[in-house]
C-alpha cells in the first residue's frame, strides 16, 4: 500500500512554462509536507515545504498548493528553466519527527 | 561544511559477501537516517538514530541488515550475505534534531552492486 502517490511519473515542459507536479496521501495524520529535488548522482535536497495549517506556500518560482480535505497537494514551478530538470519527490511526515515517507517521484525535463 | 559524507561512493560485492557502508553526518547534527533508493521501490526508510541511540528500525530487513552509530561522527550500515536484490543506492541523511523545523540533509549515497 503506497502512502504517497505522485503524478505524473514524468513531465516535459518548455522553458518559461509552468510545471505542475501532483501528490496525494492516505493518512490524515500527516501534517508536514516537504518537496525534495534530486539531480543525477546526488542525494535529494529540500526545495520547499508546507505544514497542514497552511494552504499555500511560495518561495520564488516554487509554490505549493495544499488541500487538506482532499489530501492532495501540488508543486508549481513557474517560468521553468533547464536547470530545473531533475526528479522531484513529495514526502510526508508527522510534525513530531522528520522520518519522511516519499512518493515515487516525478522526473521533470525542461526543454530550452 | 562538507555536508553528509558517504563512503565508498560505489561498492561491488559478490553474492554472499558482506558490505559495510559508512556515513559521516554534518557536525552538530543529532539525528542520522538511512534510506535505500531503487527504481522500483523508490526511496525507502530503513532506520534512524538520535544522539547515537537507535530510535526506529522499522524499515530494516530483519535478517542480514544492521546499523550502528558508535559515536557522533559516524554511522555504519552493514549487510551480511549480500543478495542481488540488495543492489540499490543507500542514502544517509542527518538533521540538527527531530521535528519539521529540522531539515534532512542527504549525502550523495553509496551505490551497492551485488553480482
Amino acid at each position: 500500500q503506497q502512502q504517497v502517490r505522485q503524478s505524473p511519473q514524468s513531465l516535459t515542459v518548455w522553458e518559461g512554462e509552468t510545471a505542475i507536479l501532483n501528490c496525494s496521501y492516505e493518512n490524515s495524520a500527516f501534517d508536514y509536507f516537504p518537496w525534495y529535488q534530486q539531480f543525477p548522482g546526488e542525494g535529494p535536497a529540500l526545495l520547499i515545504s508546507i505544514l497542514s495549517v497552511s494552504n499555500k506556500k511560495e518561495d520564488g518560482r516554487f509554490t505549493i498548493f495544499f488541500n487538506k480535505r482532499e489530501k492532495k497537494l501540488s508543486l508549481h514551478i513557474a517560468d521553468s528553466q533547464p536547470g530545473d530538470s531533475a526528479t522531484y519527490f513529495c514526502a510526508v511526515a508527522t510534525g513530531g519527527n522528520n522520518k519522511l515517507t516519499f512518493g515515487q517521484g516525478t522526473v521533470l525535463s525542461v526543454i530550452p | 561544511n562538507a555536508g553528509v559524507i558517504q563512503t565508498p561512493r560505489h561498492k561491488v560485492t559478490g553474492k554472499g559477501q558482506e558490505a559495510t557502508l559508512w556515513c559521516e553526518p554534518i557536525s552538530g547534527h543529532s539525528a542520522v537516517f538511512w534510506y535505500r533508493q531503487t527504481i522500483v521501490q523508490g526511496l525507502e526508510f530503513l532506520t534512524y538514530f538520535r544522539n547515537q541511540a537507535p530510535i526506529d528500525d522499522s524499515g530494516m530487513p530483519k535478517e542480514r541488515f544492521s546499523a550502528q552509530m558508535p559515536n557522533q561522527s559516524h554511522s555504519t550500515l552493514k549487510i551480511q550475505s549480500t543478495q542481488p536484490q540488495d543492489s540499490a543506492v543507500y542514502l544517509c541523511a542527518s538533521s540538527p534534531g527531530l521535528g519539521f523545523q529540522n531539515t534532512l540533509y542527504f549525502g550523495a549515497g553509496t551505490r551497492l552492486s551485488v553480482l
Side-chain angles (χ1 to χ4, degrees), chain B residues 3 15 17 19 21 24 39 44 50 54 66 68 79 85 101 103 107 110 114-115:
Chain B
K15 182 179 175 182
Q17 293 185 324
L21 313 180
E24 180 180 331
I39 298 294
E44 298 176 281
R50 185 183 183 192
S66 63
Q68 294 185 327
I79 308 171
Q85 62 265 29
Q101 70 275 25
T103 300
T110 294
V114 182
L115 304 179

Side-chain angles (χ1 to χ4, degrees), chain A residues 32 36 38 41 43-44 46 51 89 95-100 102 104, chain B residues 9 33 35 37 40-41 56 58 95 97-100 102 104 106-107:
Chain A
Y32 172 58
Y36 276 74
Q38 185 178 29
L46 178 66
L51 295 173
F89 292 96
N97 73 62
N98 42 359
K99 170 187 168 185
L100 300 178
F102 288 88
Q104 291 287 93
Chain B
R9 288 297 311 274
F33 296 76
Y35 282 81
Q37 185 172 27
V40 173
Q41 299 294 332
D56 182 344
S58 59
S95 67
L98 297 180
F100 66 84
N102 294 286
L104 257 65
F106 283 85

Side-chain angles (χ1 to χ4, degrees), chain B:
Chain B
N1 193 332
V4 175
I5 299 172
Q6 291 190 247
T7 54
R9 288 297 311 274
H10 304 276
K11 186 170 182 66
V12 180
T13 65
K15 182 179 175 182
Q17 293 185 324
E18 183 178 285
T20 300
L21 313 180
W22 295 73
C23 171
E24 180 180 331
I26 294 172
S27 178
H29 283 194
S30 66
V32 172
F33 296 76
W34 284 95
Y35 282 81
R36 175 168 65 180
Q37 185 172 27
T38 61
I39 298 294
V40 173
Q41 299 294 332
L43 279 156
E44 298 176 281
F45 167 79
L46 294 176
T47 186
Y48 81 92
F49 298 82
R50 185 183 183 192
N51 294 326
Q52 300 171 232
I55 302 299
D56 182 344
D57 67 353
S58 59
M60 293 276 275
K62 294 309 175 191
E63 297 179 359
R64 304 186 297 107
F65 282 63
S66 63
Q68 294 185 327
M69 192 161 184
N71 57 59
Q72 64 185 8
S73 64
H74 90 272
S75 175
T76 58
L77 179 68
K78 184 180 292 186
I79 308 171
Q80 295 179 311
S81 185
T82 54
Q83 303 297 309
Q85 62 265 29
D86 299 330
S87 297
V89 176
Y90 290 83
L91 292 162
C92 177
S94 71
S95 67
L98 297 180
F100 66 84
Q101 70 275 25
N102 294 286
T103 300
L104 257 65
Y105 295 87
F106 283 85
T110 294
R111 179 174 296 278
L112 176 66
S113 298
V114 182
L115 304 179

Side-chain angles (χ1 to χ4, degrees), chain A residues 52-70:
Chain A
S52 60
V53 295
S54 301
N55 56 25
K56 181 180 177 182
K57 176 79 172 287
E58 284 182 85
D59 185 355
R61 297 186 293 109
F62 302 93
T63 303
I64 299 174
F65 293 93
F66 178 70
N67 185 322
K68 186 174 183 177
R69 183 178 60 82
E70 294 187 7

